[in-house]
Amino acid sequence: MAIAEGGCLRGAVRYVVQAKPTHVTTYHFCQRATGAPYLVEPVFAKQAFSVSKGELARYSQTCEGSGKAVNTNFCADCGTELFLDFEGSQNAIGVYGVANVDKRRHR
């Protein structure tokens, strides 16, 4: 059973989460990406997260602190940033803020 679902602004990409987040982080290093003071990022076990529809594109950047890749996965059609995966933490998926999670699942 899905705990949460979400997707891009146009609905071309959809994802499903099967478990609650392992933790939630906030980063102030992501101000350029978010346009806000912080990025709020629920982190899920990789096996609990799946893309159910659509085509993703990926941008990879090396983290200055660890020297490992941080991959931003986004909709190839509209460009909505959806989730991050990390070379340094192969079993984790960080959902890119909670803005793209369907609100109706959290009532």
Side-chain angles (χ1 to χ4, degrees):
M1 181 174 129
I3 297 287
E5 296 179 17
C8 71
L9 294 172
R10 294 192 58 221
V13 174
R14 300 292 301 158
Y15 63 80
V16 177
V17 179
Q18 302 289 339
K20 292 182 179 180
T22 57
H23 60 283
V24 176
T25 60
T26 57
Y27 294 104
H28 70 274
F29 299 110
C30 298
Q31 291 174 342
R32 259 194 268 165
T34 64
Y38 293 93
L39 165 69
V40 177
E41 179 187 49
V43 179
F44 298 92
K46 196 170 201 170
Q47 63 269 23
F49 183 92
S50 62
V51 175
S52 58
K53 175 184 171 188
E55 183 178 338
L56 294 172
R58 175 184 273 195
Y59 172 75
S60 184
Q61 182 174 350
T62 301
C63 177
E64 290 180 19
S66 68
K68 299 188 183 219
V70 176
N71 304 302
T72 302
N73 297 274
F74 56 95
C75 174
D77 186 41
C78 70
T80 302
E81 295 168 326
L82 296 165
F83 63 94
L84 304 169
D85 62 81
F86 318 92
E87 181 184 8
S89 182
Q90 306 241 340
N91 294 319
I93 295 287
V95 173
Y96 211 93
V98 295
N100 60 44
V101 176
D102 292 347
K103 304 291 188 255
R104 67 174 185 262
R105 291 283 194 178
H106 297 284
R107 289 186 181 163

